Amino acid sequence: MAQPVPVLLWAWGTLTALAGAAQGSFEVSVSPEAAVVEHGGSVWINCSTTCRDPGASGGLETSLIKTDRKNGSSWVAFRLLNIKEWASSPQCYFTCNGNIKLVTANISAYRAPERVVLEPLPEMELGQAYNVMCRVLNVAPVTHLTVTLRRGGETLHTETFQNHTGTGPDDITVITEITPQRSDHGQEITCHTALDLHGSHFENSSSAVELKVYGAAQGSFEVSVSPEAAMVEHGGSVWINCSTTCQVPGASGGLETSLIKTDRKNGSSWVAFRLVNIKEWASSPQCYFTCGGTIKLVTANISAYRAPERVVLEPLPEMELGQAYNVTCWVLNVAPVTHLTVTLRRGGETLHTETFQNHTGTGPDDITVITEITPQRSDHGQEITCHTALDLHGSHFKNSSSAVELKVYDLPEEPWLQTSRYIEVGARPLARCWVAGVFPVAGEARFTLSFGGVSLNFTVTTSGDTATAQGEVWSPSPGQHQLNCTVTVGPVSRSAGQSVLVYRLPEPVLEVTESRTLVNSSVTVTCRSPEADPPGVLLQLRDAERVLVSSPPAQPLVQLHLMAGEEDDGREFTCKARPDSGIPAVKCTSARLTVLYGPRMNDSGCPREWIWKEGTEQTFSCLAQGNPAPAVECMKDGVPVSIGVQRQVRREDAGTYHCKASNAHGSASRDVTVQVEYLNIVVLTLGLVGAAAVLTGLGVGGYMYYRSTRI
């Protein structure tokens, strides 16, 4: 028997199975699930998984000899050789994200019958009962063995051993009883074996043993019929021969039957009739002979047969991985049912075999055979077929159904939904729904996306075994709505839902009593919100620097009263609204205040004095403040002066300039003095002459002093 998985590995796999479900499920499969191998032979076992963890690892626990390991990204295979355990159960396992899953394969070793021996038969007395014994030596597995005893081409007895216990080789004995008739003399008894192993068929036979039958004492006579048991196609014909051992010359014989007799033939101790158009499913014509005033009878058994009219495999639904399903085969209008064998196969593997030896009734019947399968991933694309065999004493009629393809589907994980929990009326954000682990291919996944009971338009993309649907979510009305996503592959459906709040938050209203106002006028700034859904809006009025006023939750507006000053000109106010319910949304409206005032002139815009140097480039500038912007005019000696124009300074530019600024709200004036610095040639010349005289006087004086000092 297979060695069990070590206790630590088993415990770890058991304890982590529940934890693993929260992190993403995965499956482990083995191929083949059931293997039949010649005793001492070898087989490849492939373990595969749906785990997408790159670090996933797998192996095979078994007491058998492993060699020639092969592996890929999601599978590992081992060759098991010199298999001498008659039944073993190697276990495939994979570790995925710290979780272990196991799956078991079943391996059976077989041995074809070593010898088939028919026990010698004694010389037999006519009409006495004798046992025929066949021994089948050293065969395994016995549950797959069929033993048939035949007399000539006629089947005497068939025996199967589906209830046999034990997995190893065994010696099997089959016994049946016969009562020999004269027609059996010289016939051969044989024993035949068949070992049916999921597509492989091993047959063997014994040597033949000849029947030797001897008559009773002088004075008596016997009547015999040939054939004793006949199998005839429904509507067909057969010859029945009646013979006797009577030695009286006047002996006469005949055949009593409800069937139609034609073409009589006879001899000194026999008479034969041809029975035609046989439509009775079971009939028993009687041969009789009168010998010396004594009558003896013997009965033949005639069975009509009809090969199956049709073999129909019921269509199979699309199947969910791991669920149980019935496979149903109908065999229509077949007789005799007791000679029928029905076999259901998946590919080359036998799923189920059924015989009907205990069936009652002789006429044709419709037979239904049902077996249960639990599909795995490796079954996808496999074909199920139903096969019939009608074994009629040497004639063998076979028929098969059309194949039905298995379609296996799996969605091991629930879908995931991704969208905003809050959506504004009129907005169209994207929602994504994706599911991983789609089998057999992600492209077969079918999505339905709905929002508030209304189907959404979406597109589907795939990557590996993951399928994703993406579409726009919207609703014309506010309130709580349900976003639902259903993914279907074959018969398997998974769903996910998310509650989304659709809200209405209108733009807030910002009102200024006079957006254009005179300086020192009273101004009211109002911030309010139209009705929102859900109700309750928090308002905030602010300028560029700070929050000016905020509202409590139930207050529909906030106001700011101010006296407009020059510094408020161009001041921007913002009305900010956000839901009190915690929805992360904000709406803003802004307005700018314009303050009107008369001209104002100061040193920064219009300096009172300019000092320029003759010959330099200078610009006369005089600006005034006011709203609207004042017009400024400057005049010198009654002549207008260009403002803001660069020019070369001349001496005559020096003087006083009279500047005036004016707008609709008043005027202001200012005098600007311009001084021009320049060089005076006369003064410079006199200065230079005076300086030279002084230097000359100093030189003469110095010389005289030097001289007097030396003297």
Side-chain angles (χ1 to χ4, degrees):
M1 298 296 290
Q3 181 178 347
V5 175
V7 173
L8 180 59
L9 178 63
W10 176 86
W12 185 22
T14 303
L15 293 174
T16 59
L18 291 175
Q23 301 173 6
S25 63
F26 69 100
E27 297 297 330
V28 175
S29 59
V30 61
S31 179
E33 294 177 4
V36 179
V37 183
E38 186 175 10
H39 188 256
S42 63
V43 67
W44 279 93
I45 298 294
N46 183 296
C47 307
S48 58
T49 181
T50 60
C51 176
R52 293 180 301 282
D53 176 14
S57 61
L60 184 70
E61 283 292 330
T62 179
S63 58
L64 302 174
I65 301 170
K66 295 184 292 186
T67 63
D68 302 334
R69 174 185 173 124
K70 297 180 181 179
N71 61 278
S73 58
S74 59
W75 61 274
V76 60
F78 297 88
R79 185 178 180 220
L80 306 181
L81 74 166
N82 197 22
I83 298 173
K84 292 188 176 179
E85 295 181 17
W86 295 103
S88 57
S89 300
Q91 290 182 310
C92 281
Y93 66 88
F94 269 90
T95 303
C96 179
N97 294 317
N99 305 311
I100 290 182
K101 279 195 174 181
L102 310 168
V103 66
T104 300
N106 293 307
I107 299 177
S108 300
Y110 74 86
R111 176 176 286 160
E114 190 174 278
R115 273 200 307 151
V116 181
V117 179
L118 193 61
E119 287 289 315
L121 294 173
E123 294 179 338
M124 297 181 177
E125 182 180 349
L126 184 71
Q128 298 298 313
Y130 295 87
N131 283 338
V132 178
M133 181 183 299
C134 177
R135 289 184 290 118
V136 185
L137 306 181
N138 206 17
V139 60
V142 175
T143 52
H144 290 246
L145 179 67
T146 300
V147 179
T148 302
L149 285 162
R150 290 187 182 139
R151 176 175 56 201
E154 175 190 0
T155 298
L156 293 175
H157 177 71
T158 298
E159 193 166 333
T160 58
F161 307 89
Q162 294 171 346
N163 297 323
H164 183 84
T165 57
T167 56
D170 207 347
D171 296 339
I172 298 299
T173 301
V174 174
I175 300 174
T176 191
E177 184 181 89
I178 65 170
T179 302
Q181 303 300 317
R182 289 179 179 263
S183 57
D184 293 333
H185 184 73
Q187 293 272 10
E188 289 186 336
I189 302 291
T190 50
C191 181
H192 304 265
T193 64
L195 195 63
D196 190 357
L197 302 170
H198 306 308
S200 298
H201 202 71
F202 298 93
E203 295 185 352
N204 203 350
S205 300
S206 70
S207 299
V209 174
E210 184 180 354
L211 286 175
K212 294 183 178 180
V213 183
Y214 296 91
Q218 292 281 341
S220 64
F221 73 100
E222 295 294 334
V223 176
S224 61
V225 62
S226 178
E228 292 179 359
M231 193 70 68
V232 183
E233 186 176 9
H234 188 256
S237 62
V238 67
W239 279 94
I240 298 295
N241 184 296
C242 306
S243 58
T244 183
T245 60
C246 177
Q247 303 299 317
V248 177
S252 62
L255 183 67
E256 286 291 330
T257 179
S258 59
L259 301 175
I260 301 172
K261 297 184 290 184
T262 64
D263 304 332
R264 173 186 174 122
K265 296 180 181 181
N266 61 277
S268 60
S269 60
W270 62 271
V271 60
F273 298 87
R274 186 179 179 218
L275 305 180
V276 297
N277 196 22
I278 298 173
K279 292 187 176 180
E280 294 181 20
W281 295 102
S283 57
S284 301
Q286 289 184 313
C287 281
Y288 65 88
F289 269 91
T290 303
C291 181
T294 302
I295 296 178
K296 280 194 175 181
L297 307 171
V298 66
T299 301
N301 293 307
I302 300 177
S303 299
Y305 73 87
R306 177 177 285 161
E309 188 174 280
R310 274 200 305 153
V311 182
V312 180
L313 194 59
E314 183 175 293
L316 294 174
E318 295 178 332
M319 297 181 175
E320 181 177 357
L321 181 75
Q323 299 297 315
Y325 295 88
N326 282 339
V327 178
T328 301
C329 177
W330 294 310
V331 184
L332 305 181
N333 208 17
V334 60
V337 175
T338 52
H339 289 244
L340 179 68
T341 300
V342 179
T343 302
L344 286 162
R345 291 189 180 132
R346 176 176 53 202
E349 175 189 0
T350 297
L351 293 175
H352 177 71
T353 298
E354 194 165 332
T355 58
F356 306 90
Q357 294 170 348
N358 298 323
H359 183 84
T360 57
T362 57
D365 206 347
D366 296 337
I367 298 299
T368 302
V369 174
I370 300 174
T371 191
E372 185 181 89
I373 63 170
T374 302
Q376 303 301 315
R377 291 191 177 218
S378 56
D379 294 330
H380 184 72
Q382 293 272 12
E383 289 186 337
I384 300 291
T385 50
C386 182
H387 304 264
T388 63
L390 196 62
D391 191 357
L392 303 171
H393 307 312
S395 298
H396 205 65
F397 298 92
K398 293 184 177 181
N399 203 350
S400 299
S401 70
S402 298
V404 175
E405 184 180 357
L406 286 175
K407 294 183 178 180
V408 183
Y409 298 88
D410 188 24
L411 275 178
E413 298 185 15
E414 299 296 329
W416 291 81
L417 265 177
Q418 182 184 58
T419 192
S420 174
R421 293 177 55 217
Y422 305 99
I423 298 175
E424 187 175 7
V425 170
R428 290 177 176 267
L430 289 177
R432 293 177 68 242
C433 176
W434 72 93
V435 64
V438 181
F439 181 85
V441 291
E444 295 201 28
R446 299 290 177 264
F447 287 84
T448 57
L449 270 178
S450 65
F451 187 61
V454 178
S455 296
L456 301 178
N457 294 324
F458 56 89
T459 58
V460 177
T461 57
T462 60
S463 177
D465 63 359
T466 300
T468 303
Q470 181 171 287
E472 291 182 343
V473 178
W474 70 282
S475 175
S477 58
Q480 204 77 33
H481 298 277
Q482 187 73 11
L483 176 64
N484 289 318
C485 174
T486 299
V487 188
T488 302
V489 57
V492 190
S493 290
R494 300 281 186 267
S495 297
Q498 179 178 320
S499 183
V500 177
L501 178 63
V502 179
Y503 67 91
R504 178 185 288 116
L505 180 64
E507 297 283 347
V509 178
L510 181 61
E511 298 171 332
V512 181
T513 52
E514 293 289 341
S515 60
R516 293 175 64 86
T517 187
L518 293 174
V519 68
N520 298 324
S521 297
S522 176
V523 176
T524 299
V525 183
T526 302
C527 171
R528 63 184 176 85
S529 173
E531 184 177 351
D533 193 345
V537 176
L538 297 176
L539 296 173
Q540 191 180 81
L541 181 62
R542 62 173 298 138
D543 61 12
E545 297 179 355
R546 61 190 176 87
V547 176
L548 303 173
V549 60
S550 297
S551 73
Q555 185 170 313
L557 60 83
V558 293
Q559 287 184 324
L560 174 68
H561 303 282
L562 59 91
M563 190 67 68
E566 294 181 12
E567 69 279 3
D568 294 322
D569 182 38
R571 186 177 182 185
E572 187 175 55
F573 296 96
T574 300
C575 179
K576 186 177 181 181
R578 62 182 177 86
D580 181 40
S581 59
I583 298 173
V586 175
K587 292 287 183 70
C588 296
T589 303
S590 297
R592 194 178 297 275
L593 178 63
T594 300
V595 180
L596 305 175
Y597 56 93
R600 182 162 50 83
M601 307 178 80
N602 53 35
D603 290 344
S604 63
C606 189
R608 292 181 180 275
E609 184 177 24
W610 294 94
I611 300 176
W612 295 339
K613 288 185 179 183
E614 183 184 22
T616 62
E617 296 288 332
Q618 299 293 339
T619 301
F620 184 84
S621 177
C622 182
L623 301 175
Q625 294 179 339
N627 193 17
V632 179
E633 294 180 342
C634 293
M635 303 185 72
K636 179 179 181 290
D637 300 330
V639 179
V641 177
S642 298
I643 300 173
V645 179
Q646 191 179 59
R647 61 188 177 178
Q648 192 174 49
V649 178
R650 301 171 300 167
R651 292 181 190 182
E652 55 268 28
D653 290 334
T656 300
Y657 293 74
H658 300 285
C659 294
K660 182 180 180 180
S662 59
N663 67 8
H665 303 288
S667 62
S669 299
R670 169 169 283 216
D671 289 340
V672 179
T673 301
V674 176
Q675 298 182 25
V676 178
E677 296 179 343
Y678 60 90
L679 293 177
N680 192 321
I681 300 302
V682 176
V683 175
L684 179 59
T685 302
L686 291 176
L688 290 175
V689 171
V694 172
L695 290 175
T696 302
L698 288 175
V700 172
Y703 172 75
M704 293 302 292
Y705 174 75
Y706 174 72
R707 183 178 179 186
S708 64
T709 303
R710 286 178 60 84
I711 296 173

